[in-house]
Amino acid sequence: METSTTSNPNVSNYPRIMIGLSRGQEEPDASLVAAEARELGYDFIILPITFPNYRRFLFEQLVDSVDIKETKLMEEWRKGQPFCREDLVVKNAGQISNWINLDSSDHNIRINSEVILRQQLTWIGHIGITAALIPFPSDSFINYARCINSIFGTVPYINMWIKIPLVLEDETLGSKETITWERWNKFRTLCDNHVRLSIVLEVTQNLPEDNILDRWFAEPIKAIFLPTTIFLSNAKGFPVLSKRHQTFVRKLIKYKPHFVIECAADGPNHASGGLSAYQEYVHHLHRTMPELTPVEQFALGYHDFLQSPLQPLMDNLESSTYEVFEKDSTKYVLYEKAIHHALLDHNTGSEEMILEAAEKAQKRVRVYAIEKNPSAFVTLQNKKTEIWGDKVTIVFSDMRLWKAPEKADILVSELLGSFGDNELSPECLDGAQKFLKADGISIPASYTAFISPISSSKLHNEVAAYKDLAHFETPYVVMFQSACELAKPCQIWSFEHPNRNIAVDEDVTFNVRESGILHGIAGYFESILYKDIMLSIHPDTHSIDMLSWFPIFFPLKIPIYLPSNTKLDINFWRLTNSHKVWYEWCVDPSLPLGYETVSFGPSAIHNSLGRSSWIGL
Amino acid sequence: METSTTSNPNVSNYPRIMIGLSRGQEEPDASLVAAEARELGYDFIILPITFPNYRRFLFEQLVDSVDIKETKLMEEWRKGQPFCREDLVVKNAGQISNWINLDSSDHNIRINSEVILRQQLTWIGHIGITAALIPFPSDSFINYARCINSIFGTVPYINMWIKIPLVLEDETLGSKETITWERWNKFRTLCDNHVRLSIVLEVTQNLPEDNILDRWFAEPIKAIFLPTTIFLSNAKGFPVLSKRHQTFVRKLIKYKPHFVIECAADGPNHASGGLSAYQEYVHHLHRTMPELTPVEQFALGYHDFLQSPLQPLMDNLESSTYEVFEKDSTKYVLYEKAIHHALLDHNTGSEEMILEAAEKAQKRVRVYAIEKNPSAFVTLQNKKTEIWGDKVTIVFSDMRLWKAPEKADILVSELLGSFGDNELSPECLDGAQKFLKADGISIPASYTAFISPISSSKLHNEVAAYKDLAHFETPYVVMFQSACELAKPCQIWSFEHPNRNIAVDEDVTFNVRESGILHGIAGYFESILYKDIMLSIHPDTHSIDMLSWFPIFFPLKIPIYLPSNTKLDINFWRLTNSHKVWYEWCVDPSLPLGYETVSFGPSAIHNSLGRSSWIGL
């Protein structure tokens, strides 16, 4: 059992969405635009920082000895002249001029662009706007990346939101749907994955394939631009979105970004409803979102929230932890069903569910409840006194050490972690084999761990924030949201009992179709409780409405870029000594180059000897 | 000027070499072998740790309920039984059994191999041998790498020397000369570049191409194995090496490794000279090494020794620093020659060399010597009083600020750093333009910086030892030895005067033919003093016997594996503000994949805003 045992950090239902307006006017009157937007039902507006006339500085150069005065002026300007009041559109919002060219072949334009960028961003920083909208990088953008990177160092607190279209509509490059992601990825890598660099996603008329769309969910999206041109007209002339666009926007709503309606200077593109119709339509999509499932409801506020896995063997859990897990009726129903079937098949069976199952199966059973947690044992004593009476014998002991008075027909345990074996079920059940009859039944009968390569800059940043190696060598229980699977999960190992080999190692190969950044490994489990009764947190076979386990996440110290069609080997070891169990992991990506497959930079082996994370025996 | 200004850390001539003996005997008598080796003139011996009979443990398994006693014994052994005395060959040296198989498909053999490896290495650690010779990894070796990596964590101080043949002789893979390097590279990457993991290189009959051989010099080579089978016989039946082998061994001698003669159990392979002939021959190669050049002599002890570049503008150098550089006659000869030619060409021209040049050119000159270092100015006063008299006017001033009483015909300066402009020659000469006549001559006339991608795990480890970001964003002056250029140097920028643009940026593309690990960027300069008189530390055009500059090294925070045929873009910026100058750099490797070129993970931009390293104005 592993989900959320601390108080929910951020509870809310589908979050309220904010919709802004961006108009392509060249010389807007800020207060007029703001008043109009408010009237049309928009929550905020986006405006350029300066009027077009400010562009005059771009082409200035240091002229030698021709016009000393002009040269002086230019030198002063480059050193950091203040804005002229009349150059400023707004005194309170920030869209960086998209005509600057930091990678121009002209040295002066490069230098001037940097001065302009710095001047505009410094202004935004000064007036307390925390985010600036910066242009999408063109073909070459290394100097642009360097300038943005250096501004993080000089303008404190400022966030940069880079505007990225889903598809580059005007490109002559054929079906390169991934070019905008590739460019973003290179840009942020050059900026060393700065946490204040995020994305504003511009939804385009054409949408790329689903798996390419999905990749954006692993990225730090702050806002969504919806140009009015992507809206269709319905029968009455009102703007609506296509089915695929609706699906994508609804998915985005879960990530609570801000939405911005982007409109040409000459007004709306649709016959009916005017400018307010766009925001009304997006609000409509928000209102008509499907009901949250119990798991979604339960997970709210826990998305991408890293928690340490439980150590129920080494630690004694608190009463409140038990209470959280006891709410998960799905799990108990599955266990009861498994016991019921085992009783029907066999001759004989812990606690209520066993008794209930026994009652249903009309069997007489003797039940022993073994508990090693002294405080939880008090609860058992209460239950015995108040409910069970003679039906249950309660025993205070570690199951690995208990000397049973008789051998059992059925051994029921729930020692499963998010990775199956990570709460040391193998070790405990191995120790308990001695009091199970030769033809006895263990519930669960087996459990299998699954892994998949995963991309999530958000989770990487969360781990990196600790600034130490140990946190990169530690698994976390986490409900993924800002994450993207780079390949489907594969099985690594399975435990059945009895099993002498509790140290296991496995190598799984994945084919990564689309390029992406590998940040870590997601882990899941499936368990066969009895015969066809399965309990699963594998995404494809997840037990309906079961809340007890979130997935597990094994980070990588250094993210690795995987080009499309990478063959990715992931090695996992489950290792053990006399007092602990731990995992070690590494990845080894390779590419087909000519006739051979070339391994390009494996990771280091993580968590050697369990130095950073381990589970106590 | 930038070479070695601290006292030489490790002076020696061609170092004394140590030659050991390794015999392939299955059951050697350690003391007999040692006595024999001593008699034959060898300095040390290499022996296996255990006798072959110890191999019996490899196939043992945990058998369930068949033979409880044997199972118990095996469990005990796995938990760490001591060696039986009779299993140990030596009580004092360490060659790990090469029959262990840590990546066997058989789980028990994997587990047993790990126990054996750990037992042998723990023994070596215990008896105080600091290095163990470990086998070359076979096809699959991920578990082997994990075990070695984990032993670094448990056996303190132990060094692992992995034995690597230059060419895999028995391979059916065609001409894959690089496979042994690739395997080593992957192994050490998995072990996170552990500093206690090094190489013992086995010289093979066939030698790969020179550029593939060169790559090994960037690696931590601790010893060289010379099998007796690679020796030819000379006319008298004595063992000798082929010309190419001689060249390679001589090059290796410069790196002061230990040599080991590796001989089959049945004795030497050559008719004459017996076993001692091999060591005598290697000693002969050592004795007949070519004389060291003055630069080699000067550089001894400075190889791969990281020094901070000088800051002669911001700091005032010490007298001893000047003394070191004044020893470099080559530089002064070149300057004198340049001034001589300038005087001949022009009408008129610091100090002795100018006076001498003037005398030679039979010109009457007025010489101003401008010095901003108060202590160095004392030296100039002494020179004026004792030698120059009226011939030289000495001025205490910063050349950027001096108000000259007359304009000069020739401006002579030596403000060059290892990267050309890194001691701020551009800024100083820019400030001094005002007292140079319109048709005046600047010596140097221009200077050009060059860069090349470089591999050196040693330098990377040296920088990483500081455990901070700042040292990875700092350039170092260093005499490369354990380094390998991955492509030939390319020019990045040039300075001529006058020049208004002292902020420059450049992007250079390299074609990396052979795979390698990129650890940083080497920097060099060439300067045209006057007309065809050039001063250079570029490897291809290096001024003969000139000692004043070692190359410069810009590290990369994270080493990048470059597959063969990588296209590598390196971006460099020289940036400036009112009080400092700094460099920023990044690399962007890409590969041709199908029809496109895919950028696979650029580096971050290093030293943003000069946060880690800068040169004070």
Side-chain angles (χ1 to χ4, degrees), chain A residues 50-83:
Chain A
T50 52
F51 287 109
N53 183 43
Y54 183 63
R55 194 177 177 186
R56 67 188 183 277
F57 284 106
L58 187 60
F59 306 102
E60 294 284 348
Q61 33 189 307
L62 297 178
V63 188
D64 271 307
S65 62
V66 174
D67 180 342
I68 302 287
K69 215 174 134 195
E70 193 177 341
T71 303
K72 273 259 180 264
L73 193 83
M74 195 58 197
E75 274 184 344
E76 287 305 311
W77 178 78
R78 282 200 181 168
K79 277 185 196 155
Q81 276 286 96
F83 272 115

Side-chain angles (χ1 to χ4, degrees), chain B residues 176-375:
Chain B
K176 292 192 57 167
E177 294 189 307
T178 66
I179 198 167
T180 62
W181 182 84
E182 297 282 356
R183 227 176 259 183
W184 148 251
N185 181 50
K186 186 165 162 180
F187 194 95
R188 60 104 170 265
T189 307
L190 288 165
C191 292
D192 211 6
N193 300 297
H194 203 288
V195 291
R196 288 193 267 133
L197 182 67
S198 308
I199 289 176
V200 165
L201 212 51
E202 184 189 340
V203 179
T204 46
Q205 189 111 46
N206 294 319
L207 291 182
E209 280 181 52
D210 277 353
N211 59 342
I212 292 171
L213 274 181
D214 282 351
R215 195 163 43 175
W216 289 106
F217 293 108
E219 303 296 349
I221 301 171
K222 293 293 182 184
I224 308 296
F225 268 57
L226 298 171
T228 53
T229 51
I230 66 162
F231 284 81
L232 310 173
S233 286
N234 71 6
K236 293 181 181 166
F238 283 88
V240 291
L241 289 172
S242 78
K243 282 269 177 260
R244 275 202 81 205
H245 281 83
Q246 284 182 43
T247 307
F248 184 58
V249 167
R250 282 208 162 106
K251 204 161 171 189
L252 285 164
I253 285 174
K254 294 187 182 175
Y255 291 77
K256 3 176 191 172
H258 288 49
F259 286 86
V260 177
I261 302 298
E262 196 176 21
C263 166
D266 51 359
N269 296 68
H270 296 79
S272 308
L275 255 180
S276 62
Y278 303 97
Q279 60 87 356
E280 281 161 10
Y281 180 74
V282 176
H283 276 302
H284 159 76
L285 291 180
H286 180 230
R287 274 195 312 276
T288 54
M289 293 281 284
E291 284 276 310
L292 290 179
T293 66
V295 172
E296 284 174 331
Q297 190 79 44
F298 181 72
L300 280 177
Y302 286 109
H303 286 127
D304 302 325
F305 181 75
L306 299 176
Q307 299 180 86
S308 292
L310 293 174
Q311 294 234 8
L313 185 58
M314 186 176 72
D315 304 332
N316 289 317
L317 303 183
E318 291 162 16
S319 163
S320 62
T321 308
Y322 291 101
E323 278 163 21
V324 168
F325 292 112
E326 281 166 6
K327 284 182 195 145
D328 186 358
S329 60
T330 304
K331 184 179 84 175
Y332 288 99
V333 166
L334 287 169
Y335 260 87
E336 191 191 312
K337 201 169 153 196
I339 298 164
H340 177 70
H341 283 270
L343 286 170
L344 286 178
D345 288 358
H346 208 277
N347 300 315
T348 19
S350 307
E351 298 156 48
E352 270 100 330
M353 61 182 175
I354 296 177
L355 295 173
E356 271 177 49
E359 210 157 288
K360 275 192 197 161
Q362 298 189 299
K363 296 265 184 182
R364 298 184 59 89
V365 293
R366 275 195 301 286
V367 177
Y368 294 88
I370 323 297
E371 180 58 64
K372 65 104 202 172
N373 180 346
S375 307

Side-chain angles (χ1 to χ4, degrees), chain A residues 64 75 107 110 143 146 150 176 186 189-190 192 500 503 505 557 573 575 584 588 602 605 609, chain B residues 64 75 107 110 143 146 150 176 186 189-190 192 500 503 505 557 573 584 588 596 602 605 609:
Chain A
D64 271 307
E75 274 184 344
H107 179 81
R110 287 205 302 279
N143 196 48
R146 184 193 59 78
S150 80
K176 293 192 56 168
K186 186 165 163 181
T189 308
L190 288 164
D192 212 4
R500 306 292 310 209
D505 49 6
K557 198 169 58 164
W573 292 269
L575 297 160
E584 298 187 20
D588 179 18
I605 295 166
L609 286 170
Chain B
D64 271 306
E75 274 185 343
H107 179 82
R110 286 204 302 280
N143 197 47
R146 184 193 58 79
S150 79
K176 292 192 57 167
K186 186 165 162 180
T189 307
L190 288 165
D192 211 6
R500 307 290 311 208
D505 49 5
K557 198 169 60 166
W573 293 268
E584 298 187 22
D588 179 18
E596 36 181 342
I605 295 166
L609 286 171

Side-chain angles (χ1 to χ4, degrees), chain A residues 231-251:
Chain A
F231 285 81
L232 310 172
S233 286
N234 70 6
K236 293 181 180 163
F238 282 88
V240 291
L241 289 173
S242 77
K243 282 270 175 257
R244 275 202 79 207
H245 281 84
Q246 285 181 41
T247 307
F248 184 57
V249 167
R250 282 212 161 102
K251 205 162 169 187

Side-chain angles (χ1 to χ4, degrees), chain B residues 115-155:
Chain B
V115 176
I116 289 165
L117 179 72
R118 189 171 294 277
Q119 196 180 30
Q120 294 192 344
L121 288 172
T122 307
W123 170 247
I124 288 177
H126 172 73
I127 59 180
I129 300 287
T130 52
L133 198 61
I134 62 174
F136 180 66
S138 59
D139 269 4
S140 61
F141 55 84
I142 297 236
N143 197 47
Y144 180 25
R146 184 193 58 79
C147 292
I148 292 298
N149 192 42
S150 79
I151 283 161
F152 284 122
T154 48
V155 184

Side-chain angles (χ1 to χ4, degrees), chain A residues 131-134 159-163 196-200 222-223:
Chain A
L133 197 62
I134 62 174
N159 290 286
M160 311 270 201
W161 294 0
I162 187 164
K163 190 177 167 188
R196 289 194 267 131
L197 182 66
S198 309
I199 288 177
V200 165
K222 293 294 182 184

